[in-house]
Amino acid sequence: MTTASVLLTVSTTWSASSDVCDKEERVGRTIRNVAAVAARELRETPATRDQAVRIMRDWIQKNSDIKNVRQDEVFLLRFLRHKKYSIPMAQQTLLKYLSLRKFYPSIFTNLDCEDAKIKEILGNGYIAVSPVRDSKGRRVIVYNMGKFDATKFSCWDMCRAHIIVYEALMEDSIDQIFGFTHVGDGSGSSTAHVTTWNPIDFARLMKWGEQSVPMRHKEFQLVNVPGALKYIIDFATSKVSSKMGERLHIHTNVKNMQSHVDISCLPTSFGGHIPLQDMIKFTRELLIEKRQMLLALDKMEILSTKGIISSRRPTNIIKGDNVSVEGSFRKLEID
């Protein structure tokens, strides 16, 4: 069975307990109803999907501001589904996506899972994809802050690890429709995890990332968040939409978090059923399968940003190279 096939299934390899078996049946029903979910949440029907894809292709072919942009259905559906089939908004998101890639090439280009830094960061288990979906059919992504060596790797290395995983997952139609649940453990954080960031770049990536990367982020469940890291999270929340901020939940302990997340999707260190090493292996196999596709993304170019519509509100946090915070994250201390 290929990784792509595994992505559509729910395994009971991790535990023979009845709750996992019950969960398999529930998720199976959810996956079988994928068309109904797409219609209800995204306004997607076969007719609207086919028509929208044709319009997007025609627009790409006639747009002299972009070059070598993918026109396959899976890629275009990333943007159409993210914007619930508002074609003008999907087009704007695609332009912003290409612009963000150009603005931060150190993050978005050469997404090679064989790159030594990415391989080590993912091999340590900083970010991993669960092979088991939650009961709502969502792909679960797990983060272990303490497994990121902030004395060895930079914030750009951290971002590249995120983006290579996100890009691979966005290729999956089920993930495009059902979205993602993010579960993070902040234990093991150090001052270096905070001070590696420049507030300007951090603010830009939070604000522009939400507008440009077509992922349906449904939940953020965080636990063991120290004070300084909580400050960074609050800062990030202030840069994204209120809708996104409302999906963030910080828990005081793992037991409390478990009441909000299917434990059968989680690693054993989170009280779940899956050894983290199995998640790391699953993530590695996914990235190897998508390796050539990820590298080919570098062929796409945006030649001009004149087609991007930007609302220049006075309350915008980012203006040129300025950001509405004093100093830097280096003044913070980890409790």
Side-chain angles (χ1 to χ4, degrees):
M1 181 180 291
T2 66
T3 303
S5 299
V6 174
L7 279 168
L8 302 181
T9 66
V10 178
S11 172
T12 56
T13 302
W14 323 113
S15 173
S17 61
S18 59
D19 61 325
V20 176
C21 295
D22 290 343
K23 177 184 175 299
E24 178 179 10
E25 182 180 351
R26 286 185 284 120
V27 176
R29 288 198 300 269
T30 301
I31 297 299
R32 287 194 297 272
N33 292 330
V34 60
V37 173
R40 182 176 66 252
E41 296 189 11
L42 308 178
R43 302 194 291 261
E44 177 179 309
T45 67
T48 57
R49 181 179 64 239
D50 294 344
Q51 181 183 34
V53 168
R54 285 197 302 271
I55 293 172
M56 289 287 286
R57 283 181 181 145
D58 184 62
W59 171 75
I60 290 171
Q61 291 165 9
K62 294 178 179 178
N63 194 327
S64 60
D65 293 336
I66 55 181
K67 182 180 178 182
N68 299 326
V69 175
R70 284 174 55 181
Q71 298 178 44
D72 58 282
E73 182 175 275
V74 171
F75 181 75
L76 298 180
L77 286 174
R78 291 185 183 188
F79 303 93
L80 289 166
R81 285 169 168 158
H82 185 250
K83 291 303 179 183
K84 300 183 180 180
Y85 284 86
S86 166
I87 294 175
M89 293 179 70
Q91 292 170 342
Q92 282 295 303
T93 303
L94 175 53
L95 292 176
K96 291 176 181 179
Y97 166 81
L98 296 172
S99 180
L100 185 62
R101 286 179 55 84
K102 183 176 182 178
F103 195 90
Y104 284 111
S106 60
I107 298 174
F108 289 91
T109 59
N110 190 34
L111 296 176
D112 189 353
C113 61
E114 297 298 339
D115 175 86
K117 288 184 177 180
I118 288 179
K119 194 172 184 179
E120 184 174 347
I121 291 169
L122 297 178
N124 290 340
Y126 163 62
I127 175 173
V129 180
S130 176
V132 179
R133 295 181 181 276
D134 67 16
S135 60
K136 296 177 181 177
R138 298 169 184 167
R139 178 60 64 207
V140 178
I141 309 173
V142 173
Y143 309 85
N144 297 276
M145 188 61 72
K147 295 186 180 298
F148 182 85
D149 187 349
T151 64
K152 181 176 183 180
F153 301 111
S154 70
C155 62
W156 310 119
D157 298 322
M158 177 186 287
C159 288
R160 289 185 74 221
H162 280 254
I163 293 301
I164 193 172
V165 171
Y166 295 167
E167 286 281 6
L169 293 176
M170 283 190 287
E171 287 291 294
D172 189 293
S173 291
I174 301 297
D175 293 339
Q176 292 176 1
I177 294 170
F178 286 94
F180 302 90
T181 294
H182 304 264
V183 184
D185 183 356
S187 61
S189 300
S190 67
T191 302
H193 286 89
V194 176
T195 59
T196 186
W197 282 98
N198 175 298
I200 295 173
D201 285 313
F202 189 82
R204 280 179 175 148
L205 286 168
M206 291 299 102
K207 186 177 182 69
W208 295 357
E210 182 186 5
Q211 298 174 356
S212 310
V213 181
M215 294 179 69
R216 302 192 72 210
H217 304 290
K218 306 298 287 187
E219 293 181 34
F220 295 85
Q221 305 287 350
L222 307 180
V223 68
N224 298 325
V225 179
L229 199 59
K230 175 65 164 56
Y231 177 90
I232 301 300
I233 293 170
D234 290 342
F235 180 69
T237 303
S238 71
K239 303 297 170 282
V240 298
S241 66
S242 57
K243 177 181 71 174
M244 196 66 68
E246 291 167 359
R247 294 178 179 180
L248 170 67
H249 306 279
I250 298 179
H251 306 281
T252 55
N253 55 67
V254 171
K255 185 176 181 180
N256 182 258
M257 182 185 71
Q258 288 174 347
S259 64
H260 295 81
V261 185
D262 290 340
I263 61 172
S264 55
C265 306
L266 301 180
T268 52
S269 56
F270 286 43
H273 300 151
I274 310 172
L276 180 59
Q277 284 302 316
D278 288 346
M279 284 192 177
I280 293 172
K281 180 181 178 183
F282 179 80
T283 306
R284 169 77 177 162
E285 291 173 352
L286 169 67
L287 295 179
I288 289 175
E289 181 181 306
K290 302 295 184 184
R291 185 180 180 222
Q292 294 306 317
M293 179 279 297
L294 291 172
L295 291 172
L297 293 171
D298 293 352
K299 297 177 182 178
M300 299 189 297
E301 296 181 62
I302 183 165
L303 307 177
S304 171
T305 59
K306 65 183 181 182
I308 296 178
I309 300 171
S310 177
S311 58
R312 300 291 184 183
R313 296 187 301 271
T315 55
N316 277 0
I317 298 300
I318 301 171
K319 296 180 180 179
D321 292 328
N322 298 317
V323 65
S324 63
V325 290
E326 296 294 333
S328 73
F329 293 149
R330 295 187 180 280
K331 296 180 180 180
L332 299 175
E333 295 181 359
I334 297 290
D335 293 337

